[in-house]
């Protein structure tokens, strides 16, 4: 098999006809003249060569006498430097212009803007393929979608009088697979976006057996940056700081909200870029997705699969083994091409949904990564270490060791291209087999999937109707086949009401349903040998949607029948709303939904006064738990605002004809929230996103704001990850330009926070920042989470929790529901406090995921509120807002943010207000 750098081509260089108009071609005449001149003078590289930075093999791509297929500038000519030139990063606006020019010039390149990023930028993709295949793209996508639909294949095969397998095999021959190549999701891993510029140029211009074979056998979908906002920020900042004393890496989140966590959003789909990517995956159904990443400077020079243990038991084994195969093939091609230091295995084992496997694995895509060693804090300058960079010695997993202390931008680009070409080569070797296996066979296997229950049943009767809606929207977004019952039915001895959802696992996305709803059990066989230590996950260990979102889900093992109808659109529950007479005194909303946060902000926006009851409220034959939201019926705009909020969330609104006898609190007309998020602190970014989604009146607190916190904010929130140092030291203004000085240190910041609370302010500190708050305010707590990870670890798991729902911070929570825990603080309380939640005192706290030694925090407090001077502080040791996943606990955030800033009212005052 040829290496990804094929031998000189013998393809004749006859002119090619183009389906493009002459007019489009003339657009590039000016640059074409420049290219011709450059080639004549011998100053531009041969096509396929990225300029003077390549290794010797680069010039062997193409016979020197071959003319390029189309006349376009090389990257070196267009950008003024070759991709991989030290100190020079091509910026994304220029990359877009270049790729667009290539598409204009070449009938084998398409350029399309497919969406808009979080910050309003274009999100482009490039399609590569033979002219004939690009012209029949709709037909290709249609056939590939049919192959992936087992029911459709059964029908079509029967009509053709063939076995389904034979029919699918024949059908696959009429199409070609799609191969998806993605760079730049982690925008600091800059080498990959630079490399794909060369990749696209090569296919546009090079006439060789290799390029013709790839272009003729598949559609290549190239995403030059999965995060254009970040590629803009990182590359432009690097170039702008050339020749300055500033640090060279952009110091803040390179995706507005989630930064480097942007590859952890593949089941919640919260960010614009995640939604665009999901849309591409669903439209193109690639057989392979190559995610091009970078790693630390001390990682192998390049890593590719085979993956390490463990493996989620839910995955189709074919997608896993083919990822191992394609990665191993890349390793072989790297070594054949003389690329030293290429390694496999021993990394990236865990394959949960939010991890490397993502969504597309479940529709039959083979996903694989490359991880190329980065260049350290100078980003795009040669990196030199004190010793030979790893892997310095040959091993079975890295048979060709690296041999130098130095690593250069040019090398990172060459390694990236070699691996990219290898993956394409692997699929081009047998494209119809890839299409048959990944599109047809994997999905057909899902139809008979037996690894999960028969179905998951989600009752229409949930304590949080908004959570039900929020969760089912995810399955709708993922295009799962959802059924709703048209009448009550019984499954596994349990009676479910009309409108309950049935998610069967014997459907094409059944494994995805199972992955997201099963209680995760970490595989005990994730070991190198039977007596070897367990291989610990490299990231989190559970993605159980029901538990995260507060929805009760039943796993039903045995087949059952239920009258159902297909659901095409998930909508909020039909709102219950009282007549004006029923609500003569007040409107009431139960506190048991995290959607209450939206109701509160909608009422804030409408200027409607709000109260919350501190005790239970009887309404219409039911009793609402403490924390019910009470709204005076007489308030201007109350009815309309509540109707709108109820329609949006599906939350029922009840009416009270007479004011209740209950004490409580009056919320601020507008609760002004300040968020200490920290520069480049992902938990702060996620929290900001969530608050903005919920309409919270939130401002990021800047260094200057510490001078007058009380004048600007009612509640200050410390995001998880905010340490005392991040407040006092922050970003050094001498090392960063002025636009980042908002994040500079405030030496007396903790004292300012303390003074704010003592003066009557409300402070909320989540996750690790609970320790920052405890220290700043001398809260009476001791962190009891063990630090020895050999005896205690719960690295991203759901642990049992009990709530005292009489404490305002826990209003509306169930008496027991698991919370997120990622080796976070847990407390012994040594003084006065209202403890809102605890880890129960039991042998094993694990509910879903992986934990060991968890009993060590049994009985410890998690969420507690303290009186500090005239104000109060609520802390949660656990990272209860982790990436917005554990949304059931958003109720606690809403409580802490609003209740802590509210004013107490007596039963008499409440009665007056609601009269
Ligand atoms: Zn990465």
């Amino acid at each position: 098999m040829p290496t990804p750098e094929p031998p000189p081509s013998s393809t004749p260089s006859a002119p090619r006809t183009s389906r493009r108009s002459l007019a489009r071609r003339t657009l590039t005449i000016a640059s074409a003249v420049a290219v011709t001149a450059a080639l004549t003078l011998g100053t531009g590289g041969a096509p396929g060569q990225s300029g003077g930075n390549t290794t010797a093999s680069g010039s062997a791509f193409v016979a020197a006498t071959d003319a390029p297929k189309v006349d376009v500038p090389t990257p070196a000519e267009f950008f003024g430097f070759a991709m991989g030139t030290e100190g020079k990063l091509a910026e994304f606006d220029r990359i877009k212009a270049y790729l667009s020019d290539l598409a204009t010039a070449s009938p084998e390149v398409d350029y399309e803007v497919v969406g808009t990023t979080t910050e309003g930028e274009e999100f482009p993709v490039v399609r590569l393929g033979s002219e004939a295949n690009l012209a029949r793209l709709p037909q290709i996508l249609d056939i590939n979608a049919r192959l992936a639909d087992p029911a459709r294949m059964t029908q079509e095969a029967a009509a053709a009088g063939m076995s389904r397998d034979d029919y699918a095999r024949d059908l696959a021959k009429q199409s070609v697979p799609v191969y998806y190549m993605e760079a730049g999701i982690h925008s600091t891993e800059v080498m990959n976006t630079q490399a794909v510029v060369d990749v696209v140029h090569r296919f546009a211009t090079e006439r060789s057996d290799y390029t013709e074979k790839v272009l003729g056998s598949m559609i290549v979908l190239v995403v030059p940056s999965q995060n254009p906002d970040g590629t803009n920020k990182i590359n432009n900042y690097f170039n702008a700081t050339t020749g300055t004393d500033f640090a060279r890496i952009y110091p803040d989140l390179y995706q507005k909200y989630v930064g480097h966590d942007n590859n952890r959003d593949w089941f919640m789909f919260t960010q614009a870029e995640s939604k665009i990517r999901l849309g591409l995956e669903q439209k193109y159904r690639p057989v392979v997705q190559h995610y091009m990443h970078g790693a630390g400077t001390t990682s192998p020079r390049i890593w590719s699969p085979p993956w390490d243990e463990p493996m989620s038991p839910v995955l189709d084994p074919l997608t896993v083994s083919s990822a191992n195969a394609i990665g191993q093939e890349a390793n072989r091609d790297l070594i054949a091409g003389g690329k030293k230091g290429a390694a496999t295995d021993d990394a990236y084992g865990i394959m949960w949904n939010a991890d490397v496997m993502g969504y597309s694995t479940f529709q039959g895509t083979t996903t694989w990564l490359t991880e190329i060693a980065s260049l350290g804090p100078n980003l795009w300058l040669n990196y030199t270490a004190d010793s030979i960079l790893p892997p310095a010695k040959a091993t079975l997993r890295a048979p060709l060791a690296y041999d130098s202390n130095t690593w250069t931008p040019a090398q990172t680009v060459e390694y990236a291209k070699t691996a990219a070409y290898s993956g394409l080569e692997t699929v081009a070797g047998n494209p119809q087999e890839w299409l048959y296996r990944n599109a047809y066979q994997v999905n057909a296997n899902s139809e008979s999937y037996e690894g999960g229950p028969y179905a998951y049943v989600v009752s229409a009767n949930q304590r949080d109707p908004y959570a039900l809606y929020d969760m089912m929207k995810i399955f709708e977004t993922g295009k799962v086949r959802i059924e709703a019952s048209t009448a009550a039915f019984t499954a596994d001895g349990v009676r479910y009401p009309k409108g309950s959802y049935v998610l069967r696992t014997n459907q094409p996305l059944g494994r995805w349903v199972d992955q997201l709803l099963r209680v995760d059990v970490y595989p005990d066989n994730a070991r190198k040998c039977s007596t070897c230590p367990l291989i610990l996950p490299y990231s989190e260990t559970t993605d159980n949607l029901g538990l995260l979102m507060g929805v009760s889900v039943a796993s039903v093992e045995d087949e059952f029948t239920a009258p159902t109808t297909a659901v095409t659109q998930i909508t909020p529950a039909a709102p219950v709303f009282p007549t004006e007479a029923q609500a003569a005194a007040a409107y009431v909303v139960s506190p048991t939904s995290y959607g209450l946060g939206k109701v509160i902000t909608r009422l804030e926006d409408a200027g409607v006064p709000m109260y919350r009851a501190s005790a239970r409220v009887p309404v219409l034959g039911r009793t609402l738990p403490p924390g019910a939201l009470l709204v005076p019926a007489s308030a201007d705009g109350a009815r309309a605002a509540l109707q709108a909020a109820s329609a949006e969330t599906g939350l029922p609104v009840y009416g009270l004809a007479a004011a209740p006898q209950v004490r409580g609190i009056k919320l601020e007309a507008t609760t002004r929230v300040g968020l200490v998020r920290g520069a480049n602190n992902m938990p702060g970014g996620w929290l900001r996103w969530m608050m903005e989604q919920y309409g919270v009146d939130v401002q990021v607190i800047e260094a200057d704001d510490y001078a007058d916190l009380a004048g600007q904010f009612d509640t200050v929130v410390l995001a998880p990850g905010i340490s005392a140092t991040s407040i006092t030291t922050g970003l050094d203004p001498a090392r960063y330009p002025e636009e980042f000085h908002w994040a500079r240190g405030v030496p007396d910041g903790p004292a300012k926070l303390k003074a704010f609370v003592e003066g009557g302010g409300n402070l909320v500190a989540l996750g690790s920042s609970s320790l920052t708050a405890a220290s700043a305010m001398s809260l009476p707590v001791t962190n009891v989470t063990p630090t020895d990870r050999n005896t205690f670890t719960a690295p991203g798991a759901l642990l049992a929790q009990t709530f005292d729902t009489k404490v305002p911070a826990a209003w509306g929570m169930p008496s027991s529901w698991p919370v997120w825990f990622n080796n976070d603080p847990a407390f012994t309380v040594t003084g006065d406090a209202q403890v809102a939640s605890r880890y129960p005192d039991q042998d094993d706290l694990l509910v879903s995921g992986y934990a060991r030694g968890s009993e060590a925090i049994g009985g410890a407090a998690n969420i507690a509120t303290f009186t500090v001077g005239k104000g109060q502080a609520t802390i949660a040791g656990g990272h209860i807002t982790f990436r917005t996943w554990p949304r059931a606990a958003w109720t606690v955030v809403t409580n802490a943010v609003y209740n802590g800033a509210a004013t107490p009212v007596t039963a008499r005052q409440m009665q007056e207000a609601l009269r």
Side-chain angles (χ1 to χ4, degrees):
M1 179 179 265
T3 70
E5 295 167 2
S9 166
S10 58
T11 310
S13 52
R16 302 161 63 93
T17 52
S18 174
R19 66 192 159 82
R20 317 250 167 180
S21 70
L22 194 60
R24 287 192 73 191
R25 285 186 154 262
T26 57
L27 290 173
T28 57
I29 281 178
S31 48
V33 169
V35 180
T36 310
L39 285 173
T40 308
L41 294 169
T43 55
Q49 200 181 355
S50 60
N53 62 327
T54 63
T55 53
S57 61
S59 59
F61 280 179
V62 176
T65 52
D66 272 2
K69 293 190 285 191
V70 293
D71 289 332
V72 288
T74 62
E77 289 155 354
F78 183 89
F79 294 95
F81 52 87
M83 298 300 100
T85 301
E86 187 186 17
K88 292 193 178 290
L89 278 171
E91 298 184 359
F92 202 61
D93 279 346
R94 295 287 291 157
I95 290 173
K96 285 192 296 186
Y98 183 62
L99 296 177
S100 175
D101 279 2
L102 291 180
T104 303
S106 168
E108 294 169 322
V109 182
D110 279 344
Y111 178 91
E112 186 187 357
V113 174
V114 295
T116 303
T117 67
T118 298
E119 300 194 54
E121 296 284 335
E122 293 176 340
F123 188 111
V125 301
V126 169
R127 286 181 294 268
L128 307 175
S130 70
E131 206 173 334
N133 281 338
L134 287 180
R136 68 178 186 118
L137 182 65
Q139 184 200 9
I140 287 168
L141 298 184
D142 175 64
I143 291 176
N144 298 0
R146 281 156 58 202
L147 282 166
D149 181 346
R152 180 90 183 257
M153 282 295 92
T154 301
Q155 263 175 14
E156 292 189 18
M162 296 171 73
S163 81
R164 195 169 72 169
D165 290 357
D166 287 347
Y167 179 82
R169 209 171 269 288
D170 280 0
L171 186 61
K173 287 178 189 149
Q174 296 169 36
S175 185
V176 293
V178 177
Y179 187 108
Y180 186 122
M181 181 185 298
E182 170 190 292
I185 187 164
H186 286 157
S187 310
T188 45
E189 298 157 11
V190 289
M191 71 289 286
N192 298 306
T193 292
Q194 307 292 300
V196 299
V197 170
D198 280 350
V199 169
V200 176
H201 171 258
R202 180 180 180 189
F203 284 107
T205 56
E206 181 181 304
R207 194 187 308 276
S208 68
D209 290 348
Y210 173 74
T211 56
E212 302 309 289
K213 184 173 163 189
V214 168
L215 293 172
S217 62
M218 68 185 86
I219 301 287
V220 185
L221 187 69
V222 181
V223 177
S225 175
Q226 167 59 28
N227 180 22
D229 293 345
T231 301
N232 275 328
K233 288 183 161 82
I234 298 290
N235 293 15
N236 299 3
Y237 175 86
F238 176 81
N239 288 335
T241 53
T242 300
T244 69
D245 291 334
F246 292 132
R248 303 305 303 278
I249 298 183
Y250 183 83
D252 201 0
L253 297 173
Y254 56 64
Q255 196 275 4
K256 182 177 179 183
Y257 298 108
V258 307
H260 202 78
D261 264 352
N262 58 356
N263 66 333
R264 291 290 182 265
D265 193 30
W266 297 337
F267 64 106
M268 287 294 196
F269 307 121
T270 63
Q271 302 299 309
E273 295 80 13
S274 310
K275 289 173 184 159
I276 292 170
R277 182 198 226 231
L278 177 70
L280 291 171
E281 290 170 343
Q282 290 174 331
K283 175 178 177 180
Y284 287 93
R285 295 185 161 276
V287 295
V288 172
Q289 269 179 302
H290 177 191
Y291 307 138
M292 304 167 80
H293 281 268
T297 53
T298 58
S299 295
R301 298 305 89 196
I302 184 170
W303 178 93
S304 61
W307 310 106
D308 200 354
E309 300 294 339
M311 177 184 119
S312 165
V314 171
L315 292 178
D316 186 292
L318 193 49
T319 61
V320 177
S321 64
S322 51
N324 287 343
I326 206 167
Q328 191 65 71
E329 191 67 28
N331 181 264
R332 187 168 79 140
D333 287 337
L334 284 156
I335 288 172
K339 303 287 190 296
K340 294 172 180 166
T344 65
D345 208 342
D346 281 336
Y348 307 107
I350 188 159
M351 295 177 74
W352 308 97
N353 202 137
D355 218 298
V356 291
M357 70 187 177
Y359 165 88
S360 61
T361 308
F362 294 95
Q363 54 171 20
T365 301
T366 290
T367 58
W368 71 297
L369 308 183
T370 43
E371 293 273 356
I372 295 173
S374 300
L375 296 154
N378 288 318
L379 192 70
W380 205 236
L381 300 181
N382 292 352
Y383 174 76
T384 300
D386 292 339
S387 54
I388 304 245
L389 287 160
K393 290 209 163 60
T395 64
L396 278 172
R397 293 177 183 86
L400 181 61
Y402 198 59
D403 61 355
S404 168
N405 295 21
T406 299
W407 184 236
T408 69
Q411 283 178 295
T412 66
V413 168
E414 288 306 308
Y415 278 55
K417 288 192 292 188
T418 302
Y421 294 141
S422 174
L424 294 168
E425 173 87 10
T426 298
V427 174
N430 205 345
Q432 267 64 48
E433 194 65 27
W434 277 88
L435 186 56
Y436 176 81
R437 288 180 179 172
N438 287 62
Y440 168 69
Q441 212 176 349
V442 172
N443 286 292
N445 288 349
S446 295
E447 209 184 25
S448 54
Y449 172 56
E450 289 182 346
Y454 173 73
Y456 289 94
V457 178
V458 187
S459 175
N461 184 18
Q462 298 283 338
R463 67 187 300 281
D464 185 349
Y466 180 71
L468 173 66
Y469 165 69
D470 211 17
M471 184 183 90
M472 292 308 298
K473 283 296 276 185
I474 290 173
F475 290 112
E476 178 196 67
T477 304
K479 294 194 191 293
V480 164
R481 204 171 66 212
I482 302 167
E483 297 163 62
S485 66
T486 53
F489 66 99
T490 301
D492 200 18
V494 178
R495 192 80 179 150
Y496 292 95
K498 178 185 171 184
S500 297
Y501 295 108
V502 176
L503 298 162
R504 294 178 213 270
T505 62
N506 60 350
Q507 60 166 308
L509 283 159
R511 289 173 188 266
W512 192 57
V513 171
D514 192 22
Q515 176 70 51
L516 290 177
L517 292 179
R518 68 165 41 208
V519 171
D520 292 307
V521 178
Y522 196 78
D524 189 57
N525 62 349
R527 301 169 192 274
K528 294 288 184 198
C529 69
S530 61
T531 55
C532 295
L534 192 67
I535 297 171
L536 288 181
Y538 95 93
S539 62
E540 303 73 37
T541 61
T542 184
D543 51 10
N544 185 302
L545 274 185
L547 294 173
L548 289 167
M549 302 180 85
V551 179
S552 297
V553 178
S555 169
V556 181
E557 288 300 320
D558 296 328
E559 191 167 346
F560 60 89
T561 54
T564 63
T565 181
V567 178
T568 51
Q569 200 189 355
I570 299 293
T571 52
V576 170
F577 209 82
T579 63
E580 293 195 34
Q582 286 167 333
Y587 296 96
V588 189
V589 184
S590 168
T592 58
S593 169
Y594 66 79
L596 187 73
K598 285 198 171 178
V599 176
I600 289 173
T601 59
R602 300 306 181 257
L603 293 172
E604 260 191 357
D605 291 347
V608 175
M610 286 173 278
Y611 297 79
R612 298 190 73 176
S614 296
R616 289 186 282 190
V617 175
V619 54
L620 290 179
R622 72 184 75 213
T623 302
L624 299 181
L629 189 73
L630 299 166
V631 178
S634 58
D636 280 350
R639 186 172 176 87
L642 276 163
Q643 271 172 329
S646 175
E648 181 187 352
T649 57
L651 295 187
V653 176
Y654 307 107
L656 287 174
Q661 294 273 356
V662 62
R663 69 192 163 79
I665 55 175
K666 180 176 198 278
L667 303 192
E668 290 282 316
T670 299
T671 301
R672 302 164 304 164
V673 180
L675 175 64
V676 179
R677 72 167 178 90
N680 204 26
N681 174 40
M682 291 177 277
W686 285 107
L687 187 54
R688 180 185 183 189
W689 182 84
M690 194 70 177
M691 286 184 165
E692 289 183 7
Q693 294 302 302
Y694 277 68
V696 175
D697 182 19
V698 62
Q699 297 286 321
V700 171
I701 293 185
E702 305 188 350
D704 289 341
D705 294 327
Y706 282 86
D708 182 21
L709 291 169
Q712 300 182 77
F713 307 110
D714 303 299
T715 295
V716 167
V717 179
L718 302 187
I722 297 299
S723 63
T725 309
S726 62
I727 296 173
T728 57
T729 306
L731 288 181
D732 180 355
R735 298 203 67 223
Y736 296 97
E738 194 160 350
E739 64 173 298
F740 303 104
H741 289 188
W742 68 269
R744 73 182 184 277
V746 180
D748 62 347
K752 288 275 185 2
L753 288 170
K754 184 183 184 202
F756 164 75
V757 179
E758 284 177 336
N762 179 39
L763 185 98
V764 181
L766 306 170
S768 62
S769 77
S770 61
L771 297 174
T772 309
S775 158
M777 264 151 283
S778 307
L779 301 179
V781 292
T782 308
N783 179 13
V784 296
T785 300
T787 53
D788 178 3
R789 292 286 163 264
N790 292 315
T791 56
F792 176 95
T793 188
L798 287 162
L799 300 189
Q801 186 93 156
T802 55
F803 291 87
D804 181 349
T805 60
K806 295 189 295 301
V807 173
W811 278 351
M813 290 300 289
S815 59
S816 167
W817 197 266
V819 292
W820 190 261
F821 187 87
N822 193 352
N823 293 329
D824 296 315
F827 301 109
T828 296
V829 177
T830 55
D832 286 345
Q834 297 183 76
V835 176
S837 80
R838 288 184 188 278
Y839 301 96
D841 202 354
Q842 62 192 42
D843 281 351
D844 185 2
L845 296 173
L846 182 66
V847 178
S848 186
Y850 177 73
R852 73 173 164 227
S854 63
E855 69 277 6
I857 59 167
N862 181 18
I863 300 162
T865 300
F866 304 84
T867 299
V868 180
K870 293 184 202 159
Q872 63 176 239
T874 298
I875 64 173
H879 192 156
I880 61 172
T881 53
F882 187 75
R883 296 178 184 153
T884 81
W885 300 353
R887 289 186 191 172
W890 190 250
T891 294
V892 172
V893 178
T894 298
N895 287 336
V897 163
Y898 293 98
N899 300 353
T903 311
V905 293
T906 63
R908 187 188 173 85
Q909 288 169 322
M910 183 79 88
Q911 207 170 14
E912 287 292 320
L914 301 176
R915 191 177 300 280

